[in-house]
Amino acid sequence: MNDFEDEDDCSDANINKQITVCGISFEQLKTNMTDIFGNGKIMKLIKQKGVGPIVPYDAQITIKYIGHFEYRDEPFDSSFARGGAETFRLNQGMLIPGLEIGITTMQKHEIAMFIIHPDLAYGKYGCAPRIPPNEEILFIVHLTDYIDNGSVDNIKCLSSEERKQLPNIVKSVNAKFNTAKDCFSKQKVKQAIREYSKGLQWLEEVELKDQDEEDEVNKLLSRGYNNLAVCYNIANMPRRACSACNRVPTPTVKTHFNHGRALLKMGEFSKAMEKLQFALKMEPKNMEIIKEIRIANEKQRKYMEIEKRLWKNCLKIEEKEKKQFSSFEKAAYEMCKAFSEDNQILRQPLPECLTPEEDKYIREQAASFGLTVTTHQRYGREITYLNKPNY
């Protein structure tokens, strides 16, 4: 149910291929390289062709790279030493000039070698103690992804009226969504939520001129709100996930699945099952949906067993009140304990028609487990819920 993937994403297997530069002179390598400027200061050799357009000059890039000096066995810098891919913003002084210029000649998924003259690297003085003076540098770069942030910056120059026209903002919205996707892939879920929300805000303000624009906006809104719902569920914000799902113009199997998952976290077992069953109808063989339905069934079964035990003690005859209340206390305690230990549920409804004494006891037990009890008007009636602190 997670569509944070590009259709043109390819295998990363080539990044681990050894590109041997040890013992080879830079002059020898240059005989097979292309001179980018025509003055010999940035030389390039493509080791793996990329796809799509080249990188814009102000893009946000994600690269894996290794930096070498001539005739040195060990690299002086490597993204792999810090965990793999790293993200930079071009045209912000984050990289040496020669490397930045070289990257703007690359396509997504391309692997290339660059030999950079000291004038466009670390200069005649170097950068002691790691970079010697007046040193040529070789970089092997794998461009794994990039985002055209320039489109996002452009929207800041538009007036409020210009922002209401779809052609003026569609590139900026797509750039925002791509930035959000990049944040999500790096497990920066809250930042992804902010990026999706901003892009969606721009879309909601658009004044549509015709059916074609409406179709395009609805497609973008569906993409944005569906992915926003995924983020909210991961961040344990099920109410906001439900709200995002409700705003999807064209609901898909992903919409119903994430809506069901959010409702399950809220303890709305029957409603959650409706959404999940609807998703299963659309994709009968989807194992992720089937697994979520099993979880929902198990949660609902446990809740109904606890509710049955509580009701059983609520309906005892009055002369046996003392004994029955002891059984009720045990059932209430076990209910609060089981709920507090369940990491998949944030809210759970309580049985209706509890006596004031029973209600008071459940609240006391809830407090001892760090839970809260709240009452809401839902589906035309008053319902009391147990809540986790982070709900």
Side-chain angles (χ1 to χ4, degrees):
M1 295 301 110
N2 177 3
D3 71 355
F4 289 86
E5 296 177 1
D6 284 332
E7 291 178 2
D8 61 345
D9 280 352
C10 66
S11 170
D12 203 31
N14 287 325
I15 192 58
N16 291 319
K17 285 183 179 179
Q18 291 293 327
I19 301 176
T20 303
V21 295
C22 298
I24 303 176
S25 74
F26 284 4
E27 289 304 317
Q28 184 180 345
L29 285 171
K30 286 178 184 178
T31 60
N32 295 315
M33 302 178 95
T34 302
D35 189 342
I36 292 178
F37 275 160
N39 59 6
K41 292 197 173 183
I42 304 177
M43 306 296 292
K44 177 181 179 181
L45 175 63
I46 297 174
K47 302 299 291 183
Q48 174 182 288
K49 289 184 178 181
V51 295
I54 62 171
V55 179
Y57 78 98
D58 54 357
Q60 175 180 295
I61 59 161
T62 302
I63 58 173
K64 300 177 182 180
Y65 69 92
I66 302 172
H68 282 274
F69 299 134
E70 191 172 21
Y71 298 124
R72 309 286 175 86
D73 291 341
E74 295 297 323
F76 73 90
D77 190 16
S78 172
S79 66
F80 295 96
R82 296 181 293 275
E86 294 185 356
T87 299
F88 303 94
R89 178 76 183 271
L90 298 182
N91 205 32
Q92 299 288 318
M94 300 175 74
L95 299 170
I96 60 172
L99 181 57
E100 184 162 307
I101 292 166
I103 288 171
T104 58
T105 69
M106 297 180 72
Q107 298 171 289
K108 187 175 179 181
H109 303 309
E110 182 179 321
I111 299 176
M113 297 171 63
F114 298 97
I115 295 178
I116 302 169
H117 189 274
D119 290 352
L120 296 174
Y122 294 97
K124 62 180 180 179
Y125 298 110
C127 186
R130 284 198 320 160
I131 315 295
N134 208 36
E135 185 82 12
E136 271 194 321
I137 293 172
L138 180 143
F139 278 101
I140 302 168
V141 180
H142 179 200
L143 178 65
T144 61
D145 200 4
Y146 72 84
I147 298 165
D148 185 0
N149 272 318
S151 299
V152 175
D153 293 339
N154 291 341
I155 201 170
K156 298 174 184 176
C157 303
L158 301 177
S159 68
S160 58
E161 287 302 313
E162 288 172 329
R163 290 188 188 189
K164 293 179 182 179
Q165 299 173 30
L166 181 61
N168 292 340
I169 62 109
V170 68
K171 283 188 178 180
S172 299
V173 169
N174 278 311
K176 254 323 182 194
F177 284 1
N178 287 335
T179 301
K181 176 185 166 184
D182 183 66
C183 293
F184 183 88
S185 69
K186 294 178 173 65
Q187 299 181 355
K188 298 177 180 178
V189 177
K190 289 187 178 179
Q191 189 175 341
I193 288 171
R194 288 193 292 272
E195 299 293 341
Y196 274 120
S197 298
K198 191 63 180 176
L200 288 164
Q201 180 188 334
W202 293 338
L203 281 173
E204 296 284 9
E205 293 171 355
V206 168
E207 293 179 354
L208 302 173
K209 291 183 178 179
D210 53 38
Q211 186 62 46
D212 288 341
E213 283 198 355
E214 184 176 347
D215 291 344
E216 186 173 2
V217 167
N218 283 343
K219 185 177 179 180
L220 287 168
L221 287 172
S222 295
R223 175 189 169 193
Y225 280 121
N226 271 324
N227 287 338
L228 188 60
V230 173
C231 293
Y232 278 138
N233 270 334
I234 290 174
N236 269 334
M237 300 179 184
R239 284 179 291 187
R240 293 187 181 185
C242 287
S243 177
C245 290
N246 285 328
R247 301 190 74 168
V248 174
T250 311
T252 63
V253 61
K254 178 179 177 180
T255 313
H256 297 299
F257 174 83
N258 282 296
H259 203 166
R261 174 171 280 180
L263 288 165
L264 181 58
K265 286 175 179 283
M266 294 168 63
E268 303 284 352
F269 301 115
S270 298
K271 295 289 182 182
M273 192 61 73
E274 286 178 19
K275 295 294 182 182
L276 293 171
Q277 290 289 357
F278 201 91
L280 189 62
K281 240 183 224 186
M282 297 172 77
E283 287 190 14
K285 296 181 180 180
N286 189 308
M287 292 307 298
E288 196 172 356
I289 300 172
I290 293 169
K291 181 181 176 182
E292 198 73 12
I293 287 174
R294 287 173 182 162
I295 292 171
N297 277 326
E298 180 64 15
K299 301 296 179 191
Q300 189 169 31
R301 183 187 63 77
K302 287 182 179 178
Y303 166 71
M304 291 179 72
E305 284 178 359
I306 291 171
E307 185 181 45
K308 190 185 293 183
R309 288 178 61 194
L310 290 171
W311 270 109
K312 182 179 179 182
N313 290 291
C314 288
L315 297 174
K316 295 288 184 181
I317 56 174
E318 191 174 340
E319 54 264 26
K320 294 184 180 178
E321 184 174 348
K322 189 170 183 179
K323 184 178 178 181
Q324 59 159 315
F325 200 70
S326 176
S327 299
F328 177 87
E329 288 174 354
K330 184 179 179 182
Y333 169 83
E334 290 177 356
M335 175 187 68
C336 292
K337 183 175 184 294
F339 175 67
S340 68
E341 293 173 351
D342 191 332
N343 295 325
Q344 295 177 312
I345 304 291
L346 295 177
R347 188 176 77 166
Q348 177 174 296
L350 294 174
E352 298 179 35
C353 303
L354 295 173
T355 67
E357 291 81 7
E358 291 163 347
D359 181 80
K360 180 183 177 183
Y361 186 78
I362 287 179
R363 289 176 184 271
E364 289 173 352
Q365 286 298 311
S368 71
F369 284 98
L371 308 172
T372 58
V373 178
T374 56
T375 302
H376 303 276
Q377 288 291 331
R378 299 275 292 173
Y379 315 118
R381 68 184 194 276
E382 193 175 82
I383 301 177
T384 303
Y385 293 93
L386 269 181
N387 304 284
K388 296 275 179 70
N390 57 335
Y391 179 73

